[in-house]
Amino acid sequence: MGDAPAVLPLPLPLHNNNNTPSSCTLNKRHTTTGTRTNGVGVTRDMVVKKEKEKWASFMTWTHPPSFLTAAMGDAPAVLPLPLPLHNNNNTPSSCTLNKRHTTTGTRTNGVGVTRDMVVKKEKEKWASFMTWTAEDVAHVAKFHWVPCLFAMGLLFFMGVEYTLRMVPSSSEPFDLGFVATRSLHRVLSASPELNTFLAFLNTVFVGMQTTYILWTWLIEGRPRATISALFMFTCRGILGYSTQLPLPQGFLGSGVDFPVGNVSFFLFYSGHVAGSVIASLDMRRMQRFELARTFDVLNILQAVRLLGTRGHYTIDLAVGVGAGILFDSLAGKYEESKKIPSIAATTITKDAFFT
C-alpha cells in the first residue's frame, strides 16, 4: 500500500445534542475497504492512486498524453468542449445518455483519435517516398521535367568532376569561352583598329545602361534599379578584392574601353553584364519589351566581345547575369520592407514651398 499513513478514524457521535441516537450512525453507514479518514471511507484504489501521484508523471501514462500526440501530429491537443448535462427544460440531455463514444487514445475537438491513427500520421511524415507509385513517378516526369533534367545534370557533372584531371598551378586556367572565341581573338589581335572600335561601342552601351538606371530614379521617381545597381557594384568590389584573379593571357586592352584609360579592374564578376541585366529587368517591369530585347541582344554581343578580347573569364560573365537578377530581387524586397514612396509623389514644388 505504500507510504500512506494509517490514520485512525475520528469517532462519530452516537448521540446528537438531544441525547438521541444520531441518524448518521443509523441510516448513513458506509461499507468500505481500508482505513477511514475524518469519517470518509478510503479504499485501497484511492491509496494506490495517491501513491502514483508521488511518482514521476510519465510512469503513470497508459496512453500518449495530449501534449505528446500534439507534437507527433498536426492536430492540436484541444480538450473537448463539455457537453451539457441538461437542456433548456432542465431534463437530462440525451447526448449524455445515448451518444457516448468509446475511443482509444486522446480526444481532439470531441473526435476520438486512436493510437493507430497517430502512428499512421507519423509514418506519412517519416517515409513519404514509401507511398510513391508508378503513376506518381510518371506524373513527375511529365509535369516536372525541368527538375528531372537538372537531376540528370547533377549525376552527369558529378561523374565529370570526379574523373577530370585538374589544371596544374603552373598552367593558365582552362576556359571554354576562350576556346569558343579563339578565331575572334586572332582577328582582333591582327586588327587593333577593329578592337578599338568595338571597345568604343561597348563603352557607349555601358553609358546607355547607366543613363537608363539613373533616369528611372531621377526622372521617373523609381529607385529600384538604382538601388540594385548600388548593391551589385558594392558586392562586386568586395568579391573582386577578396579574390584577385590573374589577367588572362592574350588580353587585348584599349584606351577607349570602359573603364576608359587602360586602368585596372576587377575580373570577378562582370559589372558590364550585371548592369545590363538590371536595366533589362526594369524595362520588362515597365512593359518596355522591345527596349528590353534590344538590351539583351547587345548584352550577348558584349559578352562575346569580352571573351574574344580576354577581358573576362566565362565564369565572370555567368555570375554577372546571376548577380543582376539577384540584386534586382533584393532591391525589390528592400523597397517592400521600407515602403519607399515614389519620389515624384513626394517632391515639394516651389509654389508649395514658398506659400
Side-chain angles (χ1 to χ4, degrees), residues 100-235:
R100 299 185 180 274
H101 300 276
T102 303
T103 59
T104 303
T106 62
R107 293 177 65 85
T108 303
N109 292 334
V111 180
V113 180
T114 64
R115 186 174 303 179
D116 293 337
M117 294 170 63
V118 175
V119 173
K120 181 179 179 181
K121 189 68 176 178
E122 273 307 296
K123 286 184 177 180
E124 291 178 357
K125 291 184 177 181
W126 292 344
S128 176
F129 72 94
M130 297 180 66
T131 63
W132 293 356
T133 63
E135 294 181 356
D136 296 330
V137 176
H139 177 83
V140 170
K142 181 178 180 181
F143 295 99
H144 303 282
W145 58 271
V146 174
C148 294
L149 186 63
F150 280 111
M152 295 175 61
L154 168 65
L155 298 176
F156 173 76
F157 284 107
M158 284 178 61
V160 173
E161 179 182 2
Y162 299 151
T163 58
L164 187 68
R165 293 183 57 186
M166 300 189 69
V167 179
S169 57
S170 57
S171 303
E172 63 175 318
F174 173 80
D175 193 293
L176 192 61
F178 291 177
V179 176
T181 57
R182 192 176 298 166
S183 300
L184 178 61
H185 182 263
R186 285 197 296 264
V187 171
L188 296 177
S189 300
S191 178
E193 295 80 8
L194 178 59
N195 181 40
T196 301
F197 178 70
L198 295 179
F200 171 75
L201 294 179
N202 204 157
T203 301
V204 172
F205 180 52
V206 173
M208 293 168 57
Q209 302 172 22
T210 307
T211 302
Y212 178 83
I213 291 173
L214 293 177
W215 178 278
T216 59
W217 173 41
L218 298 176
I219 306 302
E220 298 180 358
R222 298 184 297 105
R224 176 169 175 172
T226 303
I227 294 173
S228 59
L230 294 175
F231 285 178
M232 182 270 293
F233 280 108
T234 301
C235 185

